Amino acid sequence: MNTTLLLATDLSHECEAALVRALHLSQRSQSRLDILHVVDPYLPEHTMPALVHAIEEEIDRTLNKLCEHHELKRPAVTEVHIVSGVPYAEIIREAYERSASMIVMGTHRKQGQPDLIGGTTLSRVMRRAPCPVVSIPHDGEPDWQDILVPVDFSLASRHTLKEVLMRFPNVRLTLLHAWDMPVAMELCEGTNYQHWRDLERQRLRQQLELETERLMADLHAKPDLELVLQQGDPSQVLLDRLRQQPPDLLALGSHIRVGIGRATDSLLERLLTETRGDLMLCRTW
């Protein structure tokens, strides 16, 4: 079945890395690549024909330059689509109309300023898109080799794991489950706490292994798999892991949960500003 990758670009330098990633993904999956640029709807109407022509030429020039530099072939089917409107709304509408299997966007880094991310086009698209959205902060390896998936046994994390296994069945896959005990400090003084914690860790690992084996059997996927269980606040466990062992790609479910308990709404913004790798957000329903 033919699939469509949708690259949303504002023609900035940051978006060139996203275009390179989209070209790699398109070549790997033999998908068509649709490139979307949204212009200001309040521009004078008489300027639009010349503007559209200039944008099309710029995208074509950038495509040729990047394909030559990275030794890539241009996708057999590539469509450049230029529309006017509100950027995040038009990107989501185009994703629906084109039945896009993935949206690829560049990340405008605002290092250490997560409060500036919340209202951006990228953040809004990630929360509302009908398909996985990948943010690309910079040029990376041609293929993702190490993918990290936080799991909490919810429908959202299972869906995300399924998306990863379907798209990238032979990667090195790390499943991270963080579990938090609100009264851990009080319990640790008891003589049976260590024994209980070891039993709980064993139970969680068995559950995680069972769920993963079922999915891999259904999808015929055989990734190089590592299971990591860690006690602590789920959001902090994830951020610490990303700083210490950054993966090529972090794949998250749309509900932004990474363990027992719901993370704060600012987690996505922190991930977009503090992590160095690519980020994929998968909508569950």
Side-chain angles (χ1 to χ4, degrees):
M1 181 177 68
N2 293 330
T3 58
T4 298
L5 296 179
L6 178 63
L7 170 75
T9 177
D10 61 6
L11 305 181
S12 64
H13 177 71
E14 288 92 341
C15 286
E16 289 192 4
L19 177 53
V20 172
R21 174 60 64 192
L23 287 167
H24 279 297
L25 289 170
S26 174
Q27 182 173 294
R28 183 180 181 278
S29 61
Q30 297 183 332
S31 303
R32 65 174 287 150
L33 176 61
D34 287 356
I35 301 175
L36 174 67
H37 178 77
V38 184
V39 299
D40 190 332
Y42 300 107
L43 291 173
E45 187 174 348
H46 71 273
T47 66
M48 289 301 294
L51 177 61
V52 167
H53 180 69
I55 292 171
E56 289 175 340
E57 285 194 333
E58 175 63 18
I59 291 175
D60 187 67
R61 183 193 66 80
T62 303
L63 265 173
N64 289 332
K65 177 189 73 173
L66 295 177
C67 284
E68 180 180 356
H69 180 73
H70 293 274
E71 299 181 344
L72 292 166
K73 294 182 180 179
R74 286 186 62 156
V77 182
T78 305
E79 179 180 336
V80 176
H81 195 50
I82 300 168
V83 300
S84 63
V86 179
Y88 83 88
E90 292 301 321
I91 294 169
I92 293 170
R93 181 177 63 80
E94 291 288 335
Y96 274 109
E97 291 186 357
R98 296 167 185 271
S99 299
S101 62
M102 180 181 288
I103 300 172
V104 182
M105 300 179 66
T107 305
H108 293 273
R109 285 298 191 190
K110 295 175 174 61
Q111 195 69 31
Q113 303 178 74
D115 55 311
L116 299 183
I117 288 289
T120 62
T121 297
L122 173 61
S123 177
R124 288 172 171 172
V125 171
M126 279 189 150
R127 288 190 167 94
R128 297 170 174 86
C131 58
V133 181
V134 181
S135 69
I136 311 296
H138 51 68
D139 287 334
E141 294 298 321
D143 292 306
W144 290 314
Q145 299 296 325
D146 296 289
I147 298 181
L148 175 65
V149 182
V151 292
D152 59 7
F153 308 111
S154 66
L155 177 61
S157 68
R158 294 183 191 189
H159 174 73
T160 302
L161 180 56
K162 183 177 180 180
E163 287 278 353
V164 170
L165 290 172
M166 288 178 58
R167 296 168 187 272
F168 317 107
N170 300 311
V171 298
R172 290 191 295 271
L173 180 62
T174 301
L175 305 184
L176 174 66
H177 179 77
W179 55 290
D180 194 15
M181 277 293 294
V183 293
M185 292 298 295
E186 290 81 0
L187 288 175
C188 68
E189 297 179 359
T191 57
N192 295 325
Y193 174 72
Q194 183 69 40
H195 178 66
W196 172 86
R197 189 182 65 177
D198 292 342
L199 289 177
E200 181 68 6
R201 190 187 300 272
Q202 182 180 358
R203 183 189 67 80
L204 289 171
R205 177 172 291 277
Q206 289 174 346
Q207 184 176 352
L208 186 57
E209 289 174 345
L210 180 61
E211 294 294 336
T212 305
E213 288 174 2
R214 287 174 179 170
L215 266 178
M216 288 193 292
D218 291 341
L219 299 172
H220 307 289
K222 298 180 179 179
D224 181 2
L225 184 65
E226 179 186 6
L227 305 178
V228 178
L229 301 178
Q230 187 168 340
Q231 185 178 357
D233 175 72
S235 299
Q236 195 58 51
V237 167
L238 175 60
L239 291 168
D240 289 344
R241 174 81 185 193
L242 293 172
R243 295 186 190 103
Q244 296 164 9
Q245 297 176 257
D248 298 328
L249 175 69
L250 168 65
L252 283 172
S254 59
H255 66 348
I256 315 298
R257 294 182 65 181
V258 291
I260 298 173
R262 184 174 297 275
T264 64
D265 292 338
S266 65
L267 178 59
L268 178 59
E269 284 72 29
R270 291 189 66 185
L271 292 172
L272 289 172
T273 57
E274 296 182 22
T275 58
R276 291 176 288 174
D278 301 338
L279 171 64
M280 180 169 76
L281 194 67
C282 301
R283 179 174 173 178
T284 309
W285 49 78

